[in-house]
Amino acid sequence: MDEDRKYNIISLLNDLNDIPGEAICIFNSKEAFEALKEHKRIDKFTYNNVNIGVSRSWNAGINMSEGDSIFILNADLHIEKNAVDQLEHFLLHLPDAVLVGPEGTINDYANLEIIEYYRRGTFNQPTRTHDISGFFFAIHKQRFLDNKLLFDARYSPCFMEEWDMGMQVLNAGLACYVIPVDEYEHEWGISGAQENVPINYMGRIVYRQDILQSNQRKFLEKWFPLNK
């Protein structure tokens, strides 16, 4: 829990005071858990005594959710109600949508390159993408579960889980969409870092660049085995 950052779990919970729906927290930090386990805006939580990584955390939250629409929110995020309302509206009205969010990419998967990044202000209507950026997105729960979609834990603790889900969605005949909303702010953490920062994962230290390179190999081995 980093209270020195402009946006953190406390500021996000304050944002959620104005947004209805159950709030589920996946705690991978004892410090954050002890500070917030009695917070009035948290409806459900899971406490892990080690950092279990992004994919496992997202899966845990999805499994605990009872709503028709599930929102995944990073702690380093600021949101307003209109952004949530707009994402949910299009999630429920686009007939093939399973994931929607304000940012996403078109990818050259085989060469591990982003062809186009859709970010705020670069598009003005719902647009199909290959994936949705993981800091803020919504899931159509029935389509997600009916098609046996699952964030793949082999990409733990982070990186490539978004691209992998995009491939799963495409193979299911469904779609990811970016939605033009403005009412959010996000501070990039590990994903946006340039340096080879250490990450405490499952009680051991791993490094950003090693994880990225390893998970890129895993992605190619899974989806493009003839090109590896």
Side-chain angles (χ1 to χ4, degrees):
M1 185 172 66
D2 192 345
E3 297 183 47
D4 295 330
R5 302 193 66 168
K6 183 178 180 181
Y7 302 125
N8 54 53
I9 183 60
I10 295 174
S11 63
L12 179 60
L13 289 169
N14 288 336
D15 291 343
L16 295 179
N17 283 330
D18 300 322
I19 302 173
E22 63 177 2
I24 302 170
C25 281
I26 310 300
F27 290 109
N28 289 321
S29 158
K30 184 176 182 180
E31 176 192 16
F33 172 68
E34 292 295 341
L36 296 172
K37 61 184 178 181
E38 303 294 338
H39 196 286
K40 63 181 180 180
R41 187 58 186 89
I42 298 175
D43 300 294
K44 301 174 184 174
F45 64 77
T46 291
Y47 168 56
N48 303 304
N49 67 339
V50 293
N51 174 18
I52 64 171
V54 173
S55 293
R56 291 186 178 92
S57 294
W58 287 351
N59 289 334
I62 292 166
N63 289 338
M64 294 172 69
S65 173
E66 297 178 275
D68 295 327
S69 305
I70 302 171
F71 284 81
I72 304 294
L73 311 173
N74 269 22
D76 54 359
L77 175 70
H78 164 65
I79 55 170
E80 297 178 22
K81 185 175 184 298
N82 188 60
V84 171
D85 290 344
Q86 287 296 304
L87 290 186
E88 185 168 41
H89 169 78
F90 285 104
L91 179 70
L92 299 179
H93 286 84
L94 291 166
D96 57 353
V98 64
L99 269 72
V100 302
E103 299 186 18
T105 61
I106 299 295
N107 305 314
D108 177 351
Y109 284 118
N111 292 305
L112 301 174
E113 295 179 353
I114 294 174
I115 298 172
E116 186 168 7
Y117 194 113
Y118 287 85
R119 54 173 52 86
R120 179 171 44 197
T122 64
F123 61 101
N124 57 19
Q125 62 185 5
T127 303
R128 282 187 179 222
T129 52
H130 285 159
D131 71 359
I132 295 299
S133 295
F135 67 88
F136 178 26
F137 65 97
I139 299 170
H140 191 294
K141 186 176 182 179
Q142 182 175 344
R143 292 174 190 151
F144 191 87
L145 296 180
D146 285 352
N147 287 276
K148 298 179 175 59
L149 302 178
L150 183 73
F151 287 99
D152 194 332
R154 82 183 70 190
Y155 301 109
S156 294
C158 54
F159 299 127
M160 304 308 294
E161 65 279 334
E162 298 157 355
W163 283 30
D164 182 86
M165 178 52 65
M167 290 293 286
Q168 292 185 52
V169 168
L170 289 172
N171 281 356
L174 298 169
C176 300
Y177 286 88
V178 287
I179 309 299
V181 298
D182 295 323
E183 299 86 356
Y184 72 95
E185 298 291 341
H186 175 237
E187 294 183 315
W188 290 99
I190 294 295
S191 296
Q194 297 300 314
E195 61 275 16
N196 193 22
V197 295
I199 300 169
N200 192 326
Y201 169 62
M202 293 290 190
R204 62 184 183 272
I205 298 298
V206 294
Y207 287 88
R208 182 191 188 279
Q209 291 305 112
D210 296 335
I211 299 163
L212 177 59
Q213 293 171 7
S214 174
N215 287 356
Q216 286 176 334
R217 289 195 299 271
K218 292 174 184 176
F219 179 83
L220 293 177
E221 288 167 358
K222 178 177 179 179
W223 295 106
F224 302 94
L226 297 181
N227 296 335
K228 65 181 180 179

